[in-house]
Protein backbone atom coordinates (compact mmCIF):
# COMPACT_ATOMS: atom_id res chain seq x y z
CA UNK A 1 0.00 0.00 0.00
CA UNK A 2 2.81 2.41 0.89
CA UNK A 3 4.65 1.64 -2.37
CA UNK A 4 1.52 2.41 -4.40
CA UNK A 5 0.54 5.61 -2.57
CA UNK A 6 3.83 7.26 -1.57
CA UNK A 7 4.85 8.48 -5.07
CA UNK A 8 1.69 10.64 -5.18
CA UNK A 9 2.26 12.31 -1.79
CA UNK A 10 4.18 15.58 -2.00
CA UNK A 11 5.91 17.72 0.62
CA UNK A 12 4.80 21.36 0.37
CA UNK A 13 6.73 24.36 1.71
CA UNK A 14 5.73 28.01 2.03
CA UNK A 15 7.62 30.84 3.75
CA UNK A 16 5.84 30.09 7.05
CA UNK A 17 4.71 26.45 6.99
CA UNK A 18 5.10 23.00 5.53
CA UNK A 19 2.63 20.23 4.91
CA UNK A 20 1.58 17.39 2.69
CA UNK A 21 -0.39 17.14 -0.54
CA UNK A 22 -2.03 14.45 -2.65
CA UNK A 23 -1.65 14.23 -6.43
CA UNK A 24 -5.12 13.93 -7.97
CA UNK A 25 -6.40 13.74 -11.54
CA UNK A 26 -5.82 16.68 -13.86
CA UNK A 27 -2.37 17.64 -12.59
CA UNK A 28 -3.54 19.04 -9.26
CA UNK A 29 -2.25 18.67 -5.75
CA UNK A 30 -4.93 18.65 -3.03
CA UNK A 31 -3.94 19.92 0.41
CA UNK A 32 -5.33 21.83 3.37
CA UNK A 33 -5.82 25.57 2.95
CA UNK A 34 -3.95 26.23 6.20
CA UNK A 35 -0.82 24.68 4.62
CA UNK A 36 -0.59 27.37 1.91
CA UNK A 37 -2.70 30.33 3.07
CA UNK A 38 -2.17 33.33 2.74
CA UNK A 39 0.17 32.72 -0.18
CA UNK A 40 -0.65 32.56 -3.91
CA UNK A 41 1.96 29.86 -4.48
CA UNK A 42 3.97 27.22 -2.65
CA UNK A 43 7.69 27.96 -2.66
CA UNK A 44 8.65 24.31 -3.08
CA UNK A 45 6.81 21.06 -3.79
CA UNK A 46 8.86 17.88 -3.60
CA UNK A 47 7.77 14.39 -4.62
CA UNK A 48 9.42 11.29 -3.11
CA UNK A 49 11.27 10.54 -6.37
CA UNK A 50 13.27 13.74 -5.80
CA UNK A 51 11.37 15.85 -8.32
CA UNK A 52 11.14 19.46 -7.08
CA UNK A 53 8.75 22.11 -8.38
CA UNK A 54 9.16 25.78 -7.48
CA UNK A 55 6.55 28.55 -7.23
CA UNK A 56 3.60 26.18 -7.61
CA UNK A 57 0.41 28.26 -7.97
CA UNK A 58 -2.55 27.91 -5.63
CA UNK A 59 -5.52 27.82 -8.02
CA UNK A 60 -8.38 27.29 -5.56
CA UNK A 61 -8.81 27.92 -1.86
CA UNK A 62 -11.75 27.17 0.44
CA UNK A 63 -11.02 28.47 3.92
CA UNK A 64 -14.25 27.11 5.43
CA UNK A 65 -13.60 23.55 4.25
CA UNK A 66 -9.83 24.09 4.77
CA UNK A 67 -8.96 22.83 1.28
CA UNK A 68 -6.65 24.10 -1.44
CA UNK A 69 -5.68 23.02 -4.96
CA UNK A 70 -2.24 23.64 -6.41
CA UNK A 71 -1.53 23.24 -10.13
CA UNK A 72 1.51 20.98 -10.56
CA UNK A 73 0.75 19.86 -14.13
CA UNK A 74 1.70 16.46 -15.47
CA UNK A 75 3.92 14.41 -13.17
CA UNK A 76 5.25 11.66 -15.45
CA UNK A 77 5.46 8.24 -13.86
CA UNK A 78 3.31 9.15 -10.86
CA UNK A 79 -0.22 7.77 -10.67
CA UNK A 80 -2.80 10.10 -9.05
CA UNK A 81 -4.62 8.58 -6.07
CA UNK A 82 -8.26 7.49 -6.28
CA UNK A 83 -10.93 8.54 -3.79
CA UNK A 84 -13.31 6.32 -1.88
CA UNK A 85 -16.36 6.88 0.28
CA UNK A 86 -15.49 6.83 4.01
CA UNK A 87 -19.07 5.94 4.92
CA UNK A 88 -18.55 2.60 3.16
CA UNK A 89 -15.62 1.72 5.44
CA UNK A 90 -16.70 -0.08 8.60
CA UNK A 91 -15.89 1.29 12.02
CA UNK A 92 -12.96 -0.74 13.32
CA UNK A 93 -11.36 -1.12 9.87
CA UNK A 94 -7.70 -0.32 9.54
CA UNK A 95 -6.83 3.02 7.97
CA UNK A 96 -3.46 4.50 7.11
CA UNK A 97 -2.06 8.03 7.24
CA UNK A 98 0.61 9.00 4.75
CA UNK A 99 2.28 12.41 4.70
CA UNK A 100 5.13 14.44 6.16
CA UNK A 101 4.39 15.10 9.85
CA UNK A 102 7.04 17.00 11.83
CA UNK A 103 9.35 16.98 8.81
CA UNK A 104 12.57 18.98 9.03
CA UNK A 105 14.81 17.25 6.50
CA UNK A 106 15.44 18.97 3.14
CA UNK A 107 14.65 15.82 1.10
CA UNK A 108 12.09 13.83 3.08
CA UNK A 109 10.13 10.70 2.27
CA UNK A 110 6.55 10.23 3.46
CA UNK A 111 5.78 8.59 6.77
CA UNK A 112 3.17 5.86 7.12
CA UNK A 113 1.10 5.06 10.18
CA UNK A 114 -1.82 2.77 10.91
CA UNK A 115 -4.89 3.07 13.08
CA UNK A 116 -8.54 2.16 13.26
CA UNK A 117 -11.45 4.06 11.80
CA UNK A 118 -13.20 5.23 14.96
CA UNK A 119 -16.18 6.91 13.36
CA UNK A 120 -17.36 9.31 10.69
CA UNK A 121 -18.70 12.49 12.27
CA UNK A 122 -20.33 15.58 10.81
CA UNK A 123 -18.87 18.92 11.89
CA UNK A 124 -17.38 22.29 11.15
CA UNK A 125 -19.16 25.34 9.77
CA UNK A 126 -20.28 23.45 6.65
CA UNK A 127 -21.39 20.21 8.37
CA UNK A 128 -18.82 18.20 6.43
CA UNK A 129 -17.94 14.55 7.10
CA UNK A 130 -14.80 13.98 9.15
CA UNK A 131 -13.17 10.58 9.54
CA UNK A 132 -11.78 9.98 13.03
CA UNK A 133 -8.89 7.59 13.68
CA UNK A 134 -6.55 6.71 16.52
CA UNK A 135 -3.62 6.94 14.07
CA UNK A 136 -1.76 10.08 15.11
CA UNK A 137 -0.50 12.88 12.94
CA UNK A 138 1.59 15.92 13.76
CA UNK A 139 2.11 19.37 12.21
CA UNK A 140 3.22 18.83 8.63
CA UNK A 141 0.91 15.86 8.22
CA UNK A 142 -1.86 18.29 7.31
CA UNK A 143 -2.96 17.71 3.73
CA UNK A 144 -1.79 14.11 3.74
CA UNK A 145 -3.99 11.17 2.87
CA UNK A 146 -6.04 8.84 5.02
CA UNK A 147 -6.20 5.60 3.06
CA UNK A 148 -8.56 2.65 3.31
CA UNK A 149 -7.21 -0.90 3.19
CA UNK A 150 -8.14 -0.83 -0.52
CA UNK A 151 -5.74 2.09 -1.03
CA UNK A 152 -8.40 4.71 -1.68
CA UNK A 153 -8.18 8.20 -0.19
CA UNK A 154 -11.06 8.40 2.28
CA UNK A 155 -9.92 11.59 3.99
CA UNK A 156 -7.55 14.56 3.88
CA UNK A 157 -5.69 14.86 7.19
CA UNK A 158 -6.68 18.14 8.79
CA UNK A 159 -6.03 18.15 12.49
CA UNK A 160 -5.14 16.34 15.65
CA UNK A 161 -6.55 17.50 18.92
CA UNK A 162 -3.44 18.04 21.11
CA UNK A 163 -5.18 16.93 24.30
CA UNK A 164 -6.56 13.74 22.73
CA UNK A 165 -5.32 10.66 20.95
CA UNK A 166 -7.12 11.02 17.64
CA UNK A 167 -6.78 12.62 14.22
CA UNK A 168 -9.53 13.96 12.00
CA UNK A 169 -9.50 13.86 8.22
CA UNK A 170 -11.99 15.61 5.98
CA UNK A 171 -13.87 12.81 4.23
CA UNK A 172 -15.86 12.62 1.08
CA UNK A 173 -15.91 10.72 -2.18
Amino acid sequence: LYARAAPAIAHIETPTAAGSGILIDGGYLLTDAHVVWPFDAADRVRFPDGRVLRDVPVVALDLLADLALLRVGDVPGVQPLAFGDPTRVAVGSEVYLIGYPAERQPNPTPTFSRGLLSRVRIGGPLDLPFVQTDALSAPGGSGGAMLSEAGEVIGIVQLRYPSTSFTLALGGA
Side-chain angles (χ1 to χ4, degrees), residues 42-47 51-56 72-73 75:
D43 287 353
R44 181 177 187 254
V45 170
R46 184 183 184 282
F47 286 89
R51 183 181 337 221
V52 174
L53 306 172
R54 303 266 182 203
D55 299 317
V56 177
V72 294
V75 184

Side-chain angles (χ1 to χ4, degrees), residues 30-121:
L30 178 63
T31 189
D32 291 332
H34 73 262
V35 171
V36 295
W37 187 83
F39 303 101
D40 294 331
D43 287 353
R44 181 177 187 254
V45 170
R46 184 183 184 282
F47 286 89
D49 66 1
R51 183 181 337 221
V52 174
L53 306 172
R54 303 266 182 203
D55 299 317
V56 177
V58 174
V59 296
L61 193 67
D62 184 331
L63 294 175
L64 284 177
D66 193 18
L67 292 174
L69 277 177
L70 286 73
R71 178 79 172 132
V72 294
D74 187 36
V75 184
V78 179
Q79 184 69 32
L81 295 182
F83 285 80
D85 183 348
T87 64
R88 295 184 180 263
V89 180
V91 169
S93 297
E94 288 190 339
V95 294
Y96 304 87
L97 302 182
I98 184 167
Y100 296 88
E103 192 53 67
R104 303 228 189 278
Q105 294 181 355
N107 299 308
T109 56
T111 65
F112 195 63
S113 60
R114 177 180 64 193
L116 298 177
L117 189 146
S118 304
R119 73 183 258 199
V120 177
R121 59 171 67 206

Side-chain angles (χ1 to χ4, degrees), residues 133-162:
T133 181
D134 60 349
L136 295 181
S137 187
S142 293
M146 177 185 285
L147 302 172
S148 68
E149 290 176 300
E152 295 176 318
V153 177
I154 59 168
I156 310 303
V157 175
Q158 288 202 323
L159 57 102
R160 174 177 169 258
Y161 287 101

